[in-house]
Amino acid sequence: MSKTAYKQDMPPPGGYQSINYKRVPARTFFGGWAIIGGYIGMTAGAFYLYSLNYKAVKNRELEVHSANLALYPMLLAERDRAYLKQIRKNRDEENKLMANVEGWETGTWMGEPIYKTQPKDCFIEPNFYDYYVHSSYKDLKKRMITLNY
Amino acid sequence: MGITNETKLPTEEELTVQEVNLSGPALKAAAFHVGKVCEWENNEFVLCREETKDPRQCINEGKAVTSCALKFFQQVKKTCASEFMQYVTCLDKSSPDQQFTPCRKTQAVFDKCVLDNLGYERAPFDYFPRVHVHKTERPKPEPEKPTVYPEAVPGLPEDAPKPPAKYGGRYIFQW
């Protein structure tokens, strides 16, 4: 076996670099207290802006509500007159329809009143089906749909 | 139907008056003025309706409301028709629900015209939801009295003896 020149592998002069295992934390701009303070400050500012917006929206809604209230008596007066006209028409229609039935009295069951404790002149609003009983089914259904949706 | 022939109903002639034939945007455009001009009539009518709960007894008040509103609209038509229609068109076409916000400019024009020609000021935007006191001459309706039953069983006399129950109460653990 021939002789081989060995060369011992050695560290570089000056030694190896140190192994980089240290934590390198990110640079901190704010400390904990500053973050908490900033959060509170920004939330307070945002609440202030929100309150401005909230008041503006509420005032807008209030104005619409106000306009509706101003018109309510006028619309109610018109509606009352139309309603009473229709009630009278319904009563006349029932009188005409049941003229041939013996013993029939309008608004009662053969003379037995619906509301027996109330005075005779008492006005109790008829319910939905009573009000529409002489109308066509088409009108009744149309009104039901607009009531429900 | 519970409406008998004894129930008094106003006739067709009593109920027929000239109505305000205007659409929603026109009514909304004039709402603040109409409500302020006809405030007394409106309050009187609504008070009557709330007190009596009976539409038959407030026909005349309702007619006063309608005629007052109609008079105002006729005045507007005479003096500020173009400004009014401009504002109505703006309300109608600027938003799907007739918001007041997009129409402040035309509203200002209309308000100025009404103030100059008719002397009516626009009510503040939150005027009508506020609480108002209404003074009226109409007497307050009598409150409903409790029902009297003629065949009711008469009660015990005042000095009837009331001895304690002989065998205690019927219920256990209930005193």
Side-chain angles (χ1 to χ4, degrees), chain A residues 63 80-81 88 91 107 121, chain B residues 1 7 9 49 66 104:
Chain A
E63 188 175 12
D80 273 355
R81 285 192 290 271
R88 176 173 274 275
R91 192 175 72 180
D121 191 29
Chain B
M1 198 165 74
T7 312
L9 288 177
R49 277 301 310 267
T66 303
R104 293 298 182 206

Side-chain angles (χ1 to χ4, degrees), chain B residues 65-85:
Chain B
V65 167
T66 303
S67 71
C68 177
L70 193 68
K71 207 177 125 208
F72 176 79
F73 280 110
Q74 283 167 349
Q75 280 176 338
V76 167
K77 191 176 179 184
K78 260 181 219 156
T79 53
C80 301
S82 65
E83 284 90 348
F84 181 63
M85 282 322 291

Side-chain angles (χ1 to χ4, degrees), chain B residues 156-169:
Chain B
L156 278 177
E158 281 292 317
D159 52 348
K162 290 173 187 166
K166 215 170 184 180
Y167 300 108

Side-chain angles (χ1 to χ4, degrees), chain B residues 28-146:
Chain B
K28 274 210 167 177
F32 285 88
H33 289 104
V34 167
K36 192 80 203 310
V37 172
C38 306
E39 189 178 4
W40 196 87
E41 284 86 352
N42 287 352
N43 287 349
E44 182 77 9
F45 174 61
V46 176
L47 180 69
C48 175
R49 277 301 310 267
E50 292 292 317
E51 272 181 352
T52 59
K53 309 264 181 213
D54 189 349
R56 296 175 304 166
Q57 296 182 24
C58 307
I59 296 293
N60 291 329
E61 283 85 352
K63 281 181 188 171
V65 167
T66 303
S67 71
C68 177
L70 193 68
K71 207 177 125 208
F72 176 79
F73 280 110
Q74 283 167 349
Q75 280 176 338
V76 167
K77 191 176 179 184
K78 260 181 219 156
T79 53
C80 301
S82 65
E83 284 90 348
F84 181 63
M85 282 322 291
Q86 197 187 10
Y87 184 35
V88 170
T89 315
C90 176
L91 278 184
D92 194 12
K93 305 204 167 167
S94 299
S95 58
D97 51 351
Q98 294 156 18
Q99 285 285 327
F100 291 102
T101 329
C103 298
R104 293 298 182 206
K105 283 183 188 168
T106 45
Q107 177 188 317
V109 173
F110 172 62
D111 287 353
K112 189 170 178 305
C113 178
V114 171
L115 185 62
D116 290 347
N117 291 305
L118 305 174
Y120 299 139
E121 219 166 312
R122 184 188 177 84
F125 77 99
D126 58 346
Y127 184 75
F128 298 103
R130 286 184 211 155
V131 178
H132 297 280
V133 177
H134 177 64
K135 293 212 164 54
T136 176
E137 302 286 312
R138 214 162 36 77
K140 194 179 174 183
E142 293 259 322
E144 195 183 338
K145 291 188 180 108

Side-chain angles (χ1 to χ4, degrees), chain A residues 60 62-63 66-68 70-71 73-74 77-78 80-81 84-85 87-88 90-91 95 106-108 121 123 130, chain B residues 1 4-5 7-10 15 17 19 27 31-32 45 49 56 59 62 66 69 101 104 125-126 128-129:
Chain A
R60 231 177 288 157
L62 187 64
E63 188 175 12
S66 184
N68 290 344
L71 292 175
M74 203 185 95
E78 194 176 325
D80 273 355
R81 285 192 290 271
L84 288 174
K85 272 183 201 172
I87 297 256
R88 176 173 274 275
N90 282 1
R91 192 175 72 180
N95 278 335
T106 305
T108 58
D121 191 29
F123 180 79
D130 273 349
Chain B
M1 198 165 74
T4 58
N5 282 329
T7 312
K8 279 181 207 132
L9 288 177
L15 293 171
V17 289
E19 305 285 358
L27 292 178
F32 285 88
F45 174 61
R49 277 301 310 267
R56 296 175 304 166
I59 296 293
T66 303
T101 329
R104 293 298 182 206
F125 77 99
D126 58 346
F128 298 103

Side-chain angles (χ1 to χ4, degrees), chain A residues 3-122:
Chain A
K3 251 187 154 197
T4 316
Y6 287 101
K7 188 171 177 234
Q8 179 63 41
D9 203 8
M10 293 299 282
Y16 288 111
Q17 280 184 343
S18 59
I19 296 168
N20 184 11
Y21 64 91
K22 263 189 193 153
R23 283 184 62 200
V24 185
R27 229 176 103 202
T28 53
F29 292 99
F30 306 108
W33 290 111
I35 286 177
I36 290 173
Y39 166 71
I40 290 172
M42 285 182 103
T43 311
F47 257 108
Y48 173 66
L49 294 179
Y50 176 75
S51 74
L52 291 187
N53 201 19
Y54 183 82
K55 277 175 203 160
V57 170
K58 280 286 156 193
N59 280 347
R60 231 177 288 157
E61 286 172 7
L62 187 64
E63 188 175 12
V64 173
H65 182 56
S66 184
N68 290 344
L69 283 184
L71 292 175
Y72 171 73
M74 203 185 95
L75 298 173
L76 182 67
E78 194 176 325
R79 174 258 178 202
D80 273 355
R81 285 192 290 271
Y83 182 69
L84 288 174
K85 272 183 201 172
Q86 184 59 44
I87 297 256
R88 176 173 274 275
K89 272 185 208 161
N90 282 1
R91 192 175 72 180
D92 293 347
E93 182 68 29
E94 186 173 336
N95 278 335
K96 211 173 94 189
L97 182 72
M98 304 303 278
N100 300 333
V101 181
E102 204 167 316
W104 185 265
E105 281 178 43
T106 305
T108 58
W109 171 248
M110 300 293 182
E112 186 184 334
I114 296 179
Y115 304 104
K116 61 178 182 181
T117 59
Q118 298 288 345
K120 289 219 162 171
D121 191 29
C122 180

